[in-house]
Amino acid sequence: MEHVPPPAEELALLDRELARLDARRSQLLVRRAWLLSVLTPPVARPAAPPAPPFAAPFGPPSPVRSSAAFAAPFGPPAAPVGTRGAQNVLLTLGGLLLTIAAVAFTLVSWGHMGIGGRSAVLGVVTVATLSAPAVLLRRGLPATAESLAALASVLMVLDSYAMHRVVVPEADGRGFAAAAAAVLAVLWGAYGLLLDRLRLPLPLAVMSAQLPLLLWAWAAGAGATMFGWALLVTAALDCAIAVWGKGVAVRVTACVCCWATGLLGLLVALAQSVSADAAPAALAPGVLLLVGALIAVSGAWRAPAGLAVAGGLVAGLCGVAAVGGVLRAGVAWGWSVPVYLLCGVVLLMAVRAPLPRPVGQGLVWASSTVTVGAVLAAAPPVGLSLMGAVSQLARVWSGTPDGGVRGALGVEGPAWSQMAAAPVVLLVVAGLLGAAYRSWAWLVRVAGPVLSPGATGRGAAGAGAVALGWAGLTVLPAMLGMSYAAAVSVQLALVAAVFAVAVRGLRRRMDGVGLTALVCGLVGAVSAGMLSLAAEAATYAVFALLLVVFGGAAVLLGGAAVPAARTLPPLPSGQASRSVGTLQIVQAVPACGAVVCGMVLARAVGASLGLSAHQAAPVMLVVPAVTVLLGARLRGLPSALPVELTGAVAGLVAVGMAVTDRPFLALVLALCGVLAAGTAVRAERRPVAGYLAMTLFVLAAWLRLSASGVSAPEAYTLPVTVPALAVGALRRRRDPEASSWTAYGAGLAATLVPSLFTAWADPHWVRPLLLGVAALVITLSGARLRLQALLLLGGAVLALDALHELAPYVVQVVGALPRWLPPALAGVLLLVVGATYEQRLRDARRLKDALGRMR
């Protein structure tokens, strides 16, 4: 069958026809859009902007929207500025220009007119400006009226200035300003009440009312107390306006002014109360503080919840400062803290007072703030007691220090006497928190109308009681000036007691009390241990007792996981796993602490025997030996691995001690290898401990040969290598899947590595040649038998041996070449590698896979 016309021509015809139809459709759509724009009348712009096109993604757009899109392809034109916005801009600019003109007229052109003309001009302008807003409000022009009211306010200030300059120029400027501020406040307030639709006059009246009393006190030369009274009376007026004022703007302005003036006045009163040296001198600021507390409570009574809590907080702090300031007057500042603390505790009784709930919460916050401040004031002596013991690291076993424990801490007596109240504060707060912890149900019933504390609050109270009680007792020996022996004994007893609390608490439940006691015990143990370094006998006694305490705690906490897990409420799987992890950490901490104490005792034994550091290194290895045995005994328990790792740290310390003497270092490495081999007997430790033991034995052998000055190490290493390779061959015959590193690695390294080091220092050619031949044979054997250890060890030794032999010639060639040639060759190499990067990457992957398939 033949096509007429042919398919190619018919396809071209169809394409031309479709293009013509598309062009015609575009012309028709443009014409339709123009006709719609002519026929559709313009509509008012809506108040809110239209929704964007993606606001209604489903469904076809309307025809009008489609035509608009064709008529305006670049989007709608920018919206014109609203009439209200333009009006506000114009009115603001006009009022600002008139204000500037009035100020310029008053300050600059005032002297060109007589007294009558001046008064007449300002008076007429002011009266006219004050009258105009009333007319404008009746005609529905509130924005214009607001602008003229602002101008009138500025004119009234200028009238006051003009009156002082012309009518009463001899009057004191501060007193006249106070009177003018009072008159302006009254006038603006009356004006705002008369024209209640204006928003500016009443806030201006409130702001003007802040100045009269302060300016009068300044003009009268009043003292700080009078300034405080002026500020508080002003704050009381602001508080009344904030509660009963008219309009939100007035109340907000009055509230802000009340907080500013009130806090400033209270700070003045507080400074006077703190600096008073006698009770009569503290009465006046105390009364001022009580008045401030009364103002805060009265304002908070009707305030929103947040402001009411803040008001209760301020009232409580003012009451504590007022009463405490009178009671502590004439007492040293160190003993003033307990007085304020007592007042803060008494303030808690206000929770039963008939107060709104937010106000009561504020009072509780005030009491808590005073308590926290007292604890922080008592914290420096605790830091001195704990950190002062660090100074003993610089004078280990220098003898019992002079001056008792204060001499050991490096702080003189007068400094401690100034902080004598610190333990009292800490122990009192600890007692209160402990009572709250024990009587929590009763406390919840009492504080029910104000607070609703939960179980976390009880745990926090118990943890705080333990921490503060421990801190108070820690600082007590230094405060009492005890002897060195007595202070160390007290510290040890305190550590034991805290650990007893920790064990008792953690065996019952996993809460903050036991964890806090554990942390305190650890910190106290570190401090007592460093303090004991002053004397040899004290070091042995303290660390031996700490070893017993840590060990006993670890044993008692060993079975704490099961009962603690039983007492826990049902938890999600993730949270339950975290709880179990915390229990395991808690059990491991005292066990690791016992190992550390053993390390200190081992080092002390070496020092007592008069051994140098490298000679005492084998003594230190007693600790990892014990941990290896303990690890086998504790197999399966969570504390086994941390104990063994801590023992491994002791082994590293022993290696570091022996690093200055190669024979002893070889001995220590060999003993560490024995311990690692003993650990590798256990199947769960074999993958790591086995390789570690092999490495340590090889290193020990090399060091021993080096220390003995052996020039032919092969005589000593080959008798070890041959049977090692034979044993490896038997192992591979019985277990073909065994790794070549396990079978042949140690045996080959025992000879190859020492020989390589010797060959690098050998000036002759025989040894490097024989070593190269042996390495080549081993490399070829590894490639033929597909054994990774033989291939890598032989290849590495062969490459290094060849480098040693070729190094002199390479140096000569490089010295003879031009200096520009090596960088150029390096650049060419980089270009070649970069150009064939993908191929080189594939080669590296193939090499890695090939090595991975080897045994």
Side-chain angles (χ1 to χ4, degrees):
M1 178 178 180
E2 296 182 358
H3 292 276
V4 181
E9 295 180 6
E10 184 178 1
L11 180 61
L13 291 173
L14 290 177
D15 289 339
R16 286 196 294 270
E17 185 66 16
L18 289 174
R20 187 182 63 80
L21 291 176
D22 288 338
R24 181 59 178 166
R25 183 175 183 274
S26 299
Q27 294 175 359
L28 294 176
L29 287 174
V30 171
R31 181 64 178 174
R32 180 177 182 275
W34 180 81
L35 292 173
L36 285 174
S37 65
V38 172
L39 296 175
T40 304
V43 295
R45 184 176 178 82
F54 54 83
F58 301 104
S62 63
V64 176
R65 184 177 297 275
S66 300
S67 62
F70 280 102
F74 296 100
V81 180
T83 56
R84 181 70 64 183
Q87 180 187 19
N88 291 334
V89 171
L90 294 176
L91 291 175
T92 302
L93 290 175
L96 181 61
L97 292 175
L98 288 175
T99 302
I100 294 173
V103 173
F105 170 76
T106 305
L107 298 178
V108 178
S109 302
W110 187 259
H112 300 290
M113 300 181 65
I115 241 180
R118 303 170 191 173
S119 303
V121 171
L122 270 182
V124 170
V125 173
T126 304
V127 171
T129 309
L130 288 173
S131 303
V135 179
L136 294 172
L137 287 174
R138 284 197 298 270
R139 296 196 175 187
L141 299 172
T144 309
E146 203 74 49
S147 298
L148 289 179
L151 176 61
S153 303
V154 178
L155 290 175
M156 293 175 73
V157 175
L158 296 176
D159 287 337
S160 303
Y161 170 75
M163 185 177 296
H164 175 257
R165 293 293 303 272
V166 176
V167 180
V168 284
E170 70 280 356
D172 179 58
R174 292 170 293 183
F176 184 84
V183 172
L184 286 176
V186 173
L187 292 177
W188 281 336
Y191 187 69
L193 293 175
L194 182 63
L195 301 177
D196 55 356
R197 293 176 62 186
L198 294 176
R199 293 175 292 181
L200 186 61
L202 288 179
L204 283 177
V206 174
M207 296 179 66
S208 180
Q210 312 304 309
L211 301 176
L213 292 178
L214 285 176
L215 293 175
W216 277 332
W218 186 22
T225 303
M226 291 304 299
F227 268 102
W229 278 109
L231 288 167
L232 283 185
V233 171
T234 305
L237 176 63
D238 294 332
C239 183
I241 297 174
V243 173
W244 292 291
K246 181 180 180 181
V248 177
V250 176
R251 293 186 178 183
V252 171
T253 305
C255 183
V256 173
C257 294
C258 176
W259 279 101
T261 55
L263 290 178
L264 186 58
L266 292 175
L267 288 176
V268 172
L270 179 62
Q272 287 189 302
S273 176
V274 171
S275 60
D277 54 357
L283 286 175
V287 173
L288 194 59
L289 289 168
L290 290 177
V291 172
L294 182 61
I295 295 172
V297 170
S298 61
W301 203 285
R302 297 175 179 82
L307 289 175
V309 173
L313 172 63
V314 172
L317 293 177
C318 289
V320 171
V323 179
V326 175
L327 295 178
R328 61 144 299 271
V331 180
W333 175 249
W335 287 101
S336 301
V337 178
V339 176
Y340 285 111
L341 175 63
L342 179 62
C343 296
V345 173
V346 173
L347 183 63
L348 285 176
M349 297 181 182
V351 297
R352 304 299 297 175
L355 295 172
R357 179 183 174 89
V359 179
Q361 290 176 347
L363 294 178
V364 173
W365 278 108
S367 176
S368 303
T369 303
V370 173
T371 304
V372 171
V375 170
L376 292 178
V382 181
L384 290 176
S385 298
L386 294 175
M387 300 304 297
V390 180
S391 61
Q392 295 301 322
L393 294 175
R395 46 180 187 273
V396 177
W397 289 5
S398 59
T400 303
D402 298 331
V405 67
R406 294 181 178 178
L409 297 176
V411 182
E412 299 299 330
W416 291 107
S417 61
Q418 296 173 6
M419 301 180 291
V424 177
V425 172
L426 294 173
L427 293 176
V428 167
V429 177
L432 293 173
L433 292 176
Y437 179 77
R438 295 299 298 271
S439 306
W440 190 254
W442 173 83
L443 182 64
V444 170
R445 288 197 304 270
V446 171
V450 176
L451 298 175
S452 300
T456 55
R458 183 173 187 267
V466 172
L468 295 179
W470 167 79
L473 295 175
T474 297
V475 78
L476 199 58
M479 287 297 176
L480 298 178
M482 291 183 178
S483 63
Y484 174 77
V488 172
S489 301
V490 171
Q491 293 282 3
L492 277 176
L494 184 58
V495 170
V498 173
F499 265 102
V501 174
V503 170
R504 185 172 182 269
L506 293 174
R507 286 179 66 88
R508 289 185 173 184
R509 65 181 65 87
M510 199 70 184
D511 60 357
V513 176
L515 292 176
T516 304
L518 182 63
V519 173
C520 293
L522 292 174
V523 176
V526 172
S527 177
M530 287 190 294
L531 191 64
S532 68
L533 295 178
E536 182 178 359
T539 301
Y540 281 108
V542 169
F543 279 97
L545 289 175
L546 288 178
L547 177 61
V548 174
V549 170
F550 279 120
V555 171
L556 293 175
L557 288 175
V562 175
R566 291 174 180 173
T567 57
L568 286 174
L571 298 173
S573 58
Q575 191 171 354
S577 62
R578 287 194 297 271
S579 300
V580 173
T582 305
L583 288 172
Q584 295 175 355
I585 293 174
V586 166
Q587 180 185 357
V589 165
C592 296
V595 176
V596 173
C597 292
M599 293 169 58
V600 176
L601 289 174
R603 184 65 185 94
V605 168
S608 298
L609 295 176
L611 303 177
S612 59
H614 66 274
Q615 292 174 337
V619 181
M620 179 64 69
L621 291 179
V622 175
V623 177
V626 174
T627 58
V628 168
L629 298 177
L630 284 176
R633 179 68 178 84
L634 301 174
R635 181 181 300 182
L637 294 180
S639 59
L641 181 59
V643 167
E644 293 181 74
L645 291 177
T646 311
V649 172
L652 289 176
V653 172
V655 172
M657 293 168 60
V659 75
T660 57
D661 188 276
R662 284 188 293 175
F664 268 96
L665 181 58
L667 175 61
V668 170
L669 289 174
L671 293 176
C672 290
V674 172
L675 296 177
T679 305
V681 173
R682 296 154 52 195
E684 69 274 12
R685 300 285 187 261
R686 187 171 301 150
V688 176
Y691 286 108
L692 181 61
M694 178 186 68
T695 304
L696 291 173
F697 281 134
V698 172
L699 287 176
W702 295 344
L703 282 172
R704 183 64 263 181
L705 293 174
S706 174
S708 301
V710 175
S711 59
E714 295 82 4
Y716 300 91
T717 58
L718 283 176
V720 176
T721 297
V722 172
L725 293 178
V727 172
L730 292 176
R731 170 72 185 277
R732 289 271 300 169
R733 180 176 297 180
R734 293 182 179 180
D735 184 12
E737 298 298 323
S739 172
S740 61
W741 290 99
T742 304
Y744 307 117
L748 290 174
T751 295
L752 289 178
V753 176
S755 298
L756 179 63
F757 280 105
T758 307
W760 270 68
D762 193 345
H764 304 289
W765 59 272
V766 178
R767 184 188 301 275
L769 177 61
L770 294 177
L771 179 62
V773 171
L776 178 61
V777 171
I778 293 172
T779 303
L780 295 176
S781 301
R784 174 69 179 82
L785 301 175
R786 304 182 61 81
L787 297 177
Q788 189 180 101
L790 275 68
L791 179 63
L792 294 182
L793 278 175
V797 172
L798 180 62
L800 292 175
D801 186 63
L803 178 63
H804 171 263
E805 293 303 309
L806 294 176
Y809 304 103
V810 172
V811 172
Q812 292 178 3
V813 171
V814 171
L817 291 175
R819 294 188 177 183
W820 55 267
L821 188 58
L825 293 176
V828 172
L829 177 63
L830 291 177
L831 289 176
V832 172
V833 173
T836 60
Y837 176 74
E838 294 295 334
Q839 181 62 36
R840 302 288 79 78
L841 194 60
R842 288 192 293 270
D843 294 342
R845 290 197 184 102
R846 284 196 296 268
L847 178 60
K848 177 184 175 183
D849 295 339
L851 288 176
R853 289 191 296 269
M854 292 184 177
R855 282 293 174 183

